[in-house]
Structures are given as structure tokens and as C-alpha cells.
Amino acid sequence: TIEAFAIERKVDRVKQLLREGELTLSEISYRMGYSNVQHLSKQFRAITGISVSAFKTEYTRSAA
């Protein structure tokens, strides 16, 4: 659906912001229009299959 596509694009942008590492998760949540960090985290896990913290750990491990 269009809604699912929009959510996937939003999560892609969140992943990009997490990789850049300049913003906190709270700041990302606010900038992306989520009502709270928990909502962002829930959607992130639903789309990617992993938690935000697991993504950050995996990214920093593979980037090193």
C-alpha cells in the first residue's frame, strides 16, 4: 500500500540519520514526525526486523 511504502521510506531515512550519528534517537524521532521514540522504535523493528540499538551496533561494527 501507499502507507507501507511511505513508512519504509521514513525508516530508510531514519537509518541514514543513525549512520550519520549526529542526532540522538529523540531528535530523529522529532524530526521525522513520530509522536515518541517508542513509536519510531516499533515501526523500525517492524520494517527491518531488528531494533534500533541492534542496527546501531551492527552498523558501527561493519563501519570499523
Side-chain angles (χ1 to χ4, degrees):
T1 65
I2 293 174
E3 182 181 6
F5 177 78
I7 291 169
E8 287 179 23
R9 296 294 69 87
K10 216 171 174 182
V11 169
D12 285 344
R13 179 67 175 136
V14 169
K15 289 194 296 188
Q16 180 183 359
L17 292 170
L18 288 169
R19 283 187 209 105
E20 291 172 4
E22 296 176 12
L23 302 173
T24 67
L25 191 55
S26 294
E27 291 169 325
I28 292 171
S29 176
Y30 176 77
R31 287 191 181 191
M32 296 304 297
Y34 285 96
S35 55
N36 55 51
V37 172
Q38 291 76 20
H39 185 215
L40 164 69
S41 297
K42 187 176 178 180
Q43 276 197 341
F44 189 92
R45 182 184 287 273
I47 297 297
T48 65
I50 61 171
S51 68
V52 172
S53 59
F55 176 83
K56 287 179 7 180
T57 300
E58 188 62 36
Y59 178 75
T60 55
R61 188 178 327 162
S62 64

